[in-house]
Amino acid sequence: MYNKKMYQLGSNPSAIRDLFEYGKKRKQEIGDDAVFDFSLGNPSVPSPSIVNETLIDLITNTDSCMLHGYTSAVGDLKVRESIAEYLNKTYHTSVNSNLIYLTVGAAASLTISFNALVNPGDEIVVISPFFPEYKVFIEKSGAKLVITESNQETFMPDIDEIKKCINKNTKALLINYPNNPTGVMIDEESLKALCKLLKEKEIEYHHPIYLISDEPYRELLYNNKPYLFVTNYYDNSLVCYSFSKSLSLPGERIGYILVNPRCLNAEEVYFAVCGAGRSLGFVCAPALFQYMIPNCLGYTSDLSIYETNRDILYHELSSIGYEVVKPDGAFYLFVKALEKDAVKFCENAKKFELLLVPSDSFGCSGYIRISYCVDTSMIKRSLSSFKALYDSYKEV
Ligand code: PLP
């Protein structure tokens, strides 16, 4: 008999994937331009040209066996050195290439980190709303998922609520800013308060409580403020990074884990990361895309397109009357549903050909997520449908 839990995961695709599949069918029925698909977080802006230039150069000028061969399990040394140098220069850190582990994207960075840290009985705290796959990854690592709500007005972490969730079994707190699905970026005051709480709890329970920062949207920030790099604020921290969104490469699967050098027994934690990667069968990250990294660090896809999309949607939906959370980054807009049940609201939105994701799978009710990594022209075409959807609730 196969594993029933795995069967359940495989046979029940996520709400987001479900909607995406519905959108594909609907487009075949009524035409691509008539459906307003805001379901997936698949970057719509091409990679910066340096990506293809570097790949062509690598393919043309590098020995093929080396280019397509295994790298060391943790990733190529020169690549890791370039990442460490870039992080130190950009975020004024003193991270170390020997504590960087290359992965197949943020999903792998997260699963490896959880498996590296978790022992039976451990708990991992996440702040809702959160990326739905966290539940899958955390539970597979053997930890108990503990959910705490963010402040329902600002969507910043609610320190008092987090405090209530931390106990002797807490192994880690997972954060994600800019956030999927709200788009908010944590402010420095909240980050400092969060770190202060974790430090107090570490002292109370006599063991490290790790802060894991999931950062696939780190560069997608529109508030012109420097990114708050977590290793500068908290010693027992790990960064889970991915180039999926910054370089528009989600299908190529490339990212990394960084263990803070100030982490207690950092080298041992790093070896646990290596062991988790090994036990999960991640032999090494894709070699070609590893070798691409040094040339492309510091580049991003054209973020001005996402910013334009955000501005249009935020202003237009607010002026129609929707309650919209102002996003500082990523490419998601979080909007209050016009009825209590967001699932029903999204079903209703389909009548206006709007494909919106209900917030329930993000661990929070009553909202919808709009992925605005889409063509600006589609956003403009969709506005009359958003207005008609809004008006349909006024008529009830
Ligand atoms: N974490 C968050 C918050 C995400 O939104 C995503 C993807 O959308 C991931 C992790 C996984 O990213 P990757 O494609 O790098 O595995």
Side-chain angles (χ1 to χ4, degrees), residues 104-107 110 131 134 176 180 214 216-217 242 244-245 250 253 332:
V104 291
L110 291 164
F131 178 53
Y134 289 169
N176 161 234
N180 175 7
D214 177 26
Y217 303 100
S242 160
S244 291
K245 316 286 173 165
R253 316 306 302 140
Y332 305 108

